[in-house]
């Protein structure tokens, strides 16, 4: 979840993904059950959607989707760390930030307890439904202690594939009528969350089960802001992608791999066995105390003798530096820092260049966009957040159970000249 800690003034941004999430059903018999249309034959193609937003100062990337008939546009935070998609609901809605005319209004389209997706969002020990026709309510609690409570509904989503096929499947999502955002900073002006985890309730899983796309998704976040999101495997280049297997963890429904080793200046170090979660629901990256300490030691050593001093007066992030004059962008200072490297099995490396772990604040200081996850309750888990996935296409292949990445110019959408019989122009290059 992306509310707490987002924005420029948060002293300690927290994680906004669905870690340690809780979900349960509360059942009432208020609405009749409505049947769903059978899925059509699966078309060939992928969905590519432009993204808005940035790591700083907004703190989130979002996508606009057309939902309902007649279609209405909703802007949603993109979150690969949670499953359930939800919109702020005209129910009435407690804690909503949108005016009433921008809230989602259900129209006798509630999901009932007999629906398998109702069970998919429940946890062991949840109160069972008394009747199969009872509506299916949910509650999800996020790692920053924010929460969304509402009822499951289904409605039409409009997509266009890369082969120009138009899809309008009925998908299940949450209509949230109670939002709790504990952060003192203002929440982002989005209508909800687009959950893209690998659980049954995820939009990507639903589209796959309807036979509409391959069970593959990915994103490309630009350091310039924006980027693109895709469902299906068309945008994936045929070469240069580095792949690691997804690993089962104690946290279900997350895109994780490991064990990984944090290299010390490109050489083996003493931080090994890291389980790493790739999560677009987190603005920044988080490492456990040992790895975080090693990163600080590396950076401190690399900066020895360079004209940077600690900027203790900067409150945007815990660790910041200032120069002899204010910086305008990361480009002004990145030459004084070195890449960080995670090494996975078979020496597959995930390289994090300075522009993927630094931000320059409004005050002209440079800050470390990697935080101590142990201090914010993440125990031993490690998170690759938005900042460290910039200028990479990151791919989640649920069919082959693998995660891939390749350096990319994420400021441009793929050129789909291949639809006219020509070779597609992919803006990717080898991950140097």
């Amino acid at each position: 979840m992306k509310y707490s800690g987002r924005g420029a003034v948060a002293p300690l941004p927290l994680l906004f993904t669905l870690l340690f999430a809780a979900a349960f059903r509360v059942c009432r018999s208020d609405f009749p059950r409505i049947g769903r249309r059978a899925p059509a034959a699966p078309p060939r193609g992928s969905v590519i959607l432009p993204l808005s937003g940035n790591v700083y100062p907004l703190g989130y990337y979002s996508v606009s989707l057309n939902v309902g008939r007649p279609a209405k546009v909703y802007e949603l935070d993109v979150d690969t760390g949670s499953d359930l998609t939800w919109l702020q609901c005209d129910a009435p809605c407690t804690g909503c930030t949108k005016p009433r005319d921008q809230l989602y209004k259900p129209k006798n389209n509630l999901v009932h307890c007999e629906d398998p997706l109702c069970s998919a969002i429940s946890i062991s020990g949840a109160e069972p439904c008394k009747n199969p026709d009872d509506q299916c309510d949910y509650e999800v609690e996020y790692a920053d202690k924010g929460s969304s409570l509402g009822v499951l509904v289904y409605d039409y989503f409009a997509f266009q594939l890369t082969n120009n096929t138009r899809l309008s499947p009925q998908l299940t999502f949450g209509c949230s009528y109670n939002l709790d955002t504990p952060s003192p900073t203002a929440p982002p002006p989005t209508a909800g969350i687009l959950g893209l985890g690998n659980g049954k309730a995820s939009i990507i899983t639903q589209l796959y089960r309807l036979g509409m796309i391959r069970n593959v998704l990915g994103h490309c976040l630009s350091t310039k802001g924006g980027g693109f999101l895709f469902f299906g495997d068309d945008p994936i280049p045929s070469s240069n992608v580095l792949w690691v297997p997804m690993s089962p963890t104690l946290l279900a429904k997350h895109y994780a791999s490991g064990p990984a080793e944090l290299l010390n200046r490109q050489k083996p170090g003493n931080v090994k066995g890291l389980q790493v979660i790739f999560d677009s629901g987190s603005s920044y990256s988080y490492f456990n105390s040992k790895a975080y300490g090693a990163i600080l030691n590396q950076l401190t050593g690399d900066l020895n003798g360079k004209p940077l001093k600690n900027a203790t007066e900067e409150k945007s992030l815990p660790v910041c530096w200032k120069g002899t004059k204010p910086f305008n962008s990361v480009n002004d200072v990145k030459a004084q820092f070195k890449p960080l490297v995670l090494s996975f099995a078979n020496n597959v490396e995930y390289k994090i260049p300075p522009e993927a772990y630094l931000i320059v604040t409004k005050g002209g200081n440079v800050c470390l966009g990697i935080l101590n996850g142990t201090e914010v309750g993440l125990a031993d888990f490690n998170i690759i957040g938005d900042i460290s996935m910039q200028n990479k296409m990151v791919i989640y292949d649920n069919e082959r159970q693998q995660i891939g990445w390749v350096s990319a110019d994420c400021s441009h959408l793929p050129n789909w000249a291949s639809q006219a019989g020509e070779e597609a122009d992919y803006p990717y290059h080898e991950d140097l």
Side-chain angles (χ1 to χ4, degrees):
M1 189 172 182
K2 309 191 177 152
Y3 288 166
S4 293
R6 295 280 187 177
V9 296
L12 183 62
L14 300 180
L15 179 68
F16 313 100
T17 184
L18 184 53
L19 298 177
F20 322 117
F24 59 87
R25 290 178 287 176
V26 181
C27 304
R28 295 187 291 273
S29 302
D30 297 337
F31 296 92
R33 187 174 187 274
I34 300 176
R36 303 195 197 185
R37 187 179 63 180
R44 292 178 60 84
S46 299
V47 176
I48 300 179
L49 300 165
L51 295 175
S52 300
N54 53 55
V55 172
Y56 180 89
L58 290 179
Y60 64 93
Y61 287 85
S62 63
V63 64
S64 293
L65 295 181
N66 292 295
V67 182
R69 285 187 175 174
K72 198 171 180 179
V73 178
Y74 297 92
E75 184 186 8
L76 302 176
D77 286 329
V78 175
D79 188 7
T80 60
S82 64
D83 282 346
L84 185 65
T85 294
W86 55 262
L87 300 176
Q88 296 181 31
C89 192
D90 186 7
C93 186
T94 301
C96 284
T97 60
K98 289 291 188 182
R100 186 168 183 178
D101 63 349
Q102 295 182 35
L103 300 177
Y104 176 82
K105 189 174 183 65
K107 301 175 182 178
N108 293 332
N109 58 336
L110 276 73
V111 171
H112 295 266
C113 289
E114 63 185 356
D115 192 298
L117 286 183
C118 189
S119 299
I121 67 165
S122 300
I123 60 172
S124 178
E127 179 183 350
C129 288
K130 295 179 181 178
N131 300 295
D133 284 340
D134 290 347
Q135 73 181 41
C136 181
D137 282 10
Y138 75 88
E139 181 178 6
V140 289
E141 182 180 347
Y142 297 90
D144 67 343
K145 307 306 179 184
S147 64
S148 168
L149 183 147
V151 61
L152 287 191
V153 298
Y154 60 91
D155 210 335
Y156 294 97
F157 282 64
F159 299 109
Q160 180 169 328
L161 299 185
T162 51
N163 62 8
N164 289 324
T165 301
R166 294 181 182 273
L167 302 178
S168 55
Q170 287 183 328
L171 304 176
T172 295
F173 59 99
C175 193
S176 179
Y177 53 74
N178 193 323
L179 296 175
D180 183 12
T181 55
S183 172
T185 59
T190 53
I193 298 291
L194 177 62
L196 295 173
N198 55 19
K200 293 180 180 179
S202 171
I203 292 295
I204 185 70
T205 304
Q206 292 186 58
L207 289 172
Y208 169 69
R209 287 174 176 259
L210 289 171
M212 293 184 169
I213 59 167
R214 300 290 299 271
N215 196 357
V216 179
L217 75 147
H219 50 71
C220 203
L221 310 178
S222 175
T223 54
K224 300 176 182 178
F228 61 90
L229 171 73
F230 63 91
F231 307 151
D233 59 357
D234 281 351
I236 302 174
S238 59
S239 62
N240 295 330
V241 179
L242 300 177
W243 295 99
V244 292
M246 292 184 188
S247 60
T249 70
L250 296 176
L251 297 174
K253 306 175 184 177
H254 289 85
Y255 298 114
S257 188
E261 177 183 2
L262 177 66
L263 300 186
N264 186 348
R265 297 177 180 87
Q266 310 290 325
K267 298 179 180 180
N270 61 355
V271 180
K272 302 179 181 180
L274 300 176
Q275 290 295 327
V276 180
I277 297 171
F278 293 78
D279 179 13
S280 69
S282 177
S283 302
Y284 300 115
S285 294
Y286 293 77
F287 286 88
N288 64 35
S289 291
K290 184 176 181 180
Y292 179 73
I295 290 171
L296 286 183
N297 287 337
Q298 284 188 44
L299 296 180
T300 301
D302 291 341
L303 293 177
N304 186 31
K306 295 182 179 179
L308 289 178
K309 297 181 180 179
N310 290 334
T312 55
E313 71 279 7
E314 178 64 66
K315 303 302 180 184
S316 296
L317 286 164
V319 179
C320 299
W321 300 272
K322 57 186 176 183
T324 55
K325 60 181 181 179
F327 301 112
N328 294 315
S329 72
V330 173
N331 288 333
D332 295 341
V333 71
K334 68 178 184 180
Q336 301 185 46
F337 292 84
K338 295 181 180 179
L340 302 173
V341 181
L342 286 171
S343 179
F344 291 84
N346 298 320
N347 296 318
V348 175
E349 295 185 348
Y350 189 90
K351 297 181 180 180
I352 308 175
E355 57 268 32
Y357 65 79
L358 298 174
I359 67 163
V360 168
T361 68
K362 292 180 179 179
N365 297 315
V366 60
C367 296
L368 178 62
I370 297 176
L371 295 99
N372 189 331
T374 305
E375 288 185 350
V376 297
L378 296 180
D380 219 26
F381 295 102
N382 306 280
I383 310 297
I384 298 295
D386 288 344
I387 189 170
S388 301
M389 293 191 285
Q390 293 177 112
N391 288 356
K392 280 184 174 66
M393 170 180 270
V394 179
I395 307 152
Y396 311 92
D397 188 336
N398 291 305
E399 295 185 18
R400 295 180 174 85
Q401 287 291 289
Q402 60 185 4
I403 301 169
W405 55 83
V406 58
S407 294
D409 180 359
C410 299
S411 61
H412 299 286
L413 294 178
N415 177 10
W416 292 105
S418 57
Q419 297 175 21
E422 301 175 15
E423 184 179 356
D425 177 21
Y426 295 105
Y428 314 113
H429 53 82
E430 188 174 359
D431 194 351
L432 301 175

